[in-house]
Every structure is written in C-alpha cells, then in structure tokens.
Amino acid sequence: MNTTLTSLAQLLDNEGLLATTANITAEKGATPITGVDCDSRVIVPAHVFVCKGAAFKPAYLTSALEKGAVAYLCDRDRAAELADVAPGTPALIATDLRRAMAFASAEAFGHPDHDLTVIGITGTKGKSTVSYMLRAVLDGNETHARTGVMGSIETFDGIEREESHNTTPESPDLWRHLANARKAGLAYMDMEVSSQALKYDRVLGLDLAVACFLNIGRDHISPVEHPNFEDYFQSKLRIFDQARVAVVNLDSDEIHTILERARRCERVVTFSAKDSSADVWASDIQSAYGMVSFTAHTPSWEGPICLGMPGLFNVDNALATIAICEVLGIGCERIAEPLSRARVPGRMELLPSPDTKVVALVDYAHNKLSYQRFFPSVKEEFPGYRIIAVFGAPGGKAYERRHELPQEAAKYADYLIYTEEDPANDPVEEICQQMADATPEGTAYEVILDREEAIRRAVQLGYEGESPAILCLLAKGDETRQHEGNEFVPCRTDGDIYEEAVRNWHPSHPEA
C-alpha cells in the first residue's frame, strides 16, 4: 500500500509518537509520501523533511520546501516556531522525534529491508574488517556488486558511494540507502551498527537477518556519548532485539550477559579462536610476515583458511564472517578464496619500502581494546623490529583514550609520537599534552602536532636506527578528511604521506 501523509500520521499515532498534526486537510492528507530526509541538501519532491538537532536552522526547512518537501516532522518544542516559518505547510509533531523519524522513514521508503538480507555487525573492535570480509565473500567473483555496505569507512548502496561520516547513518539516510539497494537489485546489505545508533534509535524497526556481536571493551564513554560502561554495553546488546539469528564470539568479555540477551533471537551461532565447543572454531593458527592461516571448523565443513592480511586478531574476524555465512547457507567453496584476497582500506595495510629497513602498518586501531589486540600481534608477527607508533586521540569524545592509549602502546612500542587525530574543537596541543602526561616513565616519546610531519619523523627514526623498524600509523586509516573545528578538512592519507617520505629517502626508487 502506498504511503500518504494521512497513513503516516496514523502510523505514528498507533505507535504513541504523534502529539498532534497541523494543516493536514483531507486533500493534503492524500498526498503520496515516498521518503523522509533530515538533510535539506538531499531532499527530493514528495518527501517529508525532519527538523532536528541542536544545529538546526529554520532556513533548512525553507530550503527543503523549495526543493519539493510536502510536509515536515518536528518535536513539540519547535512546532510554534516552524508554524511561523512555514504557515499552512502540513506538519507532524512528535512526542519522541528520533523514534518517530525512524518509523516514518521505514514506512515512507516502503520497508526495503523486507526485500534484502540485512546483516548487522556490532562490537568495540573489528566491525569494519568483518564487514569487508563478508562483502568479499557475498560478492564472490561476480562482475556486478551484490552487496551494499554501510560503515565507518564508506557507504555503498548500488546507487550512491561516499566516505562515511557516521558508522551508522541517521534513520532517514539509512532507509534511503536500503531503498537504493533494493532499486539497484542488490541482494545483501552488510552494515556496521554502532552503540550510538542503537541507543538513539537510528536502526529502530530494521529487520536484521543476522546480528553479529564481536566483542565488548570500554570505549565511547564521555558526556556526549555514553555516561558509563553499562550504558555503552546495554546499548550494544539492543541489536539482538531486532534480529532473527545471533552470531556471538565466545571469547568476548561479558560473554554470559551477551549470550543471555542473544537467546532472545530464534537461533544463536557461536564462534571462537580458542574454544572448540563453539559452533565455528579455529585450530592450527599460524602467522608470518603479512600472512595468517588456520583450519576452520563448522557444523557443515572444515578446511584451511589463509588470510592475506597481518594480525592474529583477524582470525576472530574471519571466524565471525564464516559463522555468518554458515547462517546464510554459504559453504567453504565460496568462502576460502574470497577471504584470501579480502582487504580493508586502512585496516592492517602493510606498506613496504625498497630495502625492507622500514615497513609501515596502517590501521584504524583507536581504542584500548584495539590496542590490546593490535600491538601484541605486531610484536609476535614482526620479531626483531623496532616498533614506532604514531597516533593521537579525538576531540570532544572518548576522553579516556588520552590516558589509556599511551599506557597500552608503551607496553610494546619502542618510540611513541603523539599527533593530531580529528581534534574537532579541542586544541591539539592540549590533547597531546594529556597523552604525554599519561606516558609511563621511561618510555621514549615526542609530540609533533602536524600529522604529516609526525609520519615523516617516524620514517626518519626508522632509517636512522640500526635494526629494522615497523611504523604503526594508527586511527586514520585511509581517511581523506580531518575533523577540525566544526568542519571536515581535506587531508592526505597516512599511506600517501609515508610513501612520499620513503621516496625522499630513496630517490633512486621512484616506485617505492
């Protein structure tokens, strides 16, 4: 059934989310609604515009109406102001704007999740890697993509492709991407689901075929994210409330609580790199320079798996992928080869130099749990290498990282360089000083505020030392924007900066 303004109002009323309406006559109520937007720059005719957020300006509504929006959705606090801005315009006034926005978006876009297999992946560490591994398997050797992706690196829905701002987009954008995926004929949507998305109802109403829970650690605890660990953890657990099948890592902290919540799903499939009682588990785990291999065991098959990227923790990520495929009925013959060639932009990317004196490892590792997995793996896989780490901490959120990251890195690294990493409205000098203050006594470090200069300094230190060095360039991955103030400013990727610095040391090797 086609959605109209009246049917949308009725839906919100049935959900207890409609405070009142304005200017919805019988004629206007019959207006077809084909979507919902919360960004006036992407609004199209026959859509409802959502007026939300602390930064909202009435001019955004004016612009949306000029572009063809047929109504707006707002909360009660803004209703009077917006009635003066757009007199006579049909309006839906919500008791809970976030929940209303999610339900309205799903309805207006025609519930495209019912025509796709949607897989949701959550956890403190590993979401992007599992997402890309899974995408490699689901796409297989097809010449055309079969899988959409929404995550912290990029969003691709068969029609739109863009670098992501949020791990999980706001609900109107989420449902637009799902609708695009259906229109493009994709079979799957493979998406990362953040704690913020779950806490603030961005994915409310979304039908997940599979919810994968990778792990839990302390992160995103700040006045603007989660007030404490329990709030963060409980937000993550909400993913099981809207999934048919749960895929769970038995090696995660808080596993008993996770399993208890996961049993709300119709089925639970477990995986483990340590515990052979799991449904999907690994044996014969081996690692060498840039390569990890193991034997996978599942209810339907067992066999060798070889990963083309370093990091022992990627065994966990591969097992998660295999467990999801077990649920989807995808066998070994479609898994092993794609996993061997799976790559994740900016994740465990190994960048050599012409003489092997220096090698760089670019990764998004950015919190305590990821450091606890990243650095031991580097130490084991690159014996005899000095470890030089370049990293920072973000502004305006996750303040605990400024203390935890230096302490974790110092356990393994020979030299630390603190630099900028999306400082937003916090002074880079202040962030780096806090990290310096948290550095354990006796650990060699320096502060270089400019990230490009920090990476060049790491290359210099690598070549000046007697033993080979691995440069760990962390948190930015292949991002091309730096969050400075309220803007996202273009920047070069860590890999590009590193490769240029290496060429300066090897002018006779332009291919470096």
Side-chain angles (χ1 to χ4, degrees), residues 347-358:
R347 302 276 182 181
M348 297 304 288
E349 284 196 284
L350 202 59
L351 304 176
S353 65
D355 59 6
T356 71
K357 179 68 183 295
V358 170

Side-chain angles (χ1 to χ4, degrees), residues 3-133:
T3 302
T4 65
L5 197 52
T6 294
S7 67
L8 204 57
Q10 186 62 55
L11 168 72
L12 297 181
D13 191 40
N14 292 342
E15 295 292 341
L17 296 170
L18 187 68
T20 188
T21 64
N23 305 314
I24 300 182
T25 62
E27 181 181 357
K28 290 181 178 179
T31 302
I33 303 297
T34 59
V36 175
D37 295 306
C38 58
D39 185 339
S40 60
R41 293 169 296 184
V42 301
I43 198 82
V44 297
H47 279 206
V48 171
F49 181 64
V50 183
C51 306
K52 73 167 201 68
F56 176 82
K57 298 176 182 178
Y60 298 159
L61 174 57
T62 303
S63 174
L65 294 173
E66 290 172 350
K67 293 178 180 177
V70 295
Y72 64 89
L73 173 65
C74 70
D75 59 23
R76 286 177 287 196
D77 292 342
R78 282 204 172 100
E81 176 191 18
L82 296 180
D84 291 336
V85 172
T89 301
L92 302 166
I93 295 93
T95 57
D96 183 327
L97 185 58
R98 283 197 165 275
R99 292 178 66 83
M101 175 170 73
F103 280 120
S105 298
E107 184 75 7
F109 281 110
H111 287 280
D113 55 330
H114 296 168
D115 300 309
L116 300 163
T117 298
V118 184
I119 301 101
I121 304 162
T122 200
T124 302
K125 170 65 178 172
K127 296 186 295 296
S128 294
T129 300
V130 174
S131 174
Y132 272 77
M133 285 181 170

Side-chain angles (χ1 to χ4, degrees), residues 291-312:
M291 192 74 69
V292 177
S293 64
F294 63 93
T295 299
H297 304 263
T298 82
S300 58
W301 62 271
E302 62 179 52
I305 296 292
C306 185
L307 306 178
M309 62 176 74
L312 284 166

Side-chain angles (χ1 to χ4, degrees), residues 251-279:
D251 303 330
S252 177
D253 289 347
E254 311 288 346
I255 186 58
H256 296 299
T257 304
I258 295 168
L259 285 173
E260 182 180 3
R261 188 66 166 262
R263 292 188 183 105
R264 296 184 183 184
C265 299
E266 298 170 9
R267 178 185 174 195
V268 178
V269 175
T270 59
F271 67 93
S272 172
K274 304 173 184 176
D275 188 345
S276 60
S277 71
D279 297 307

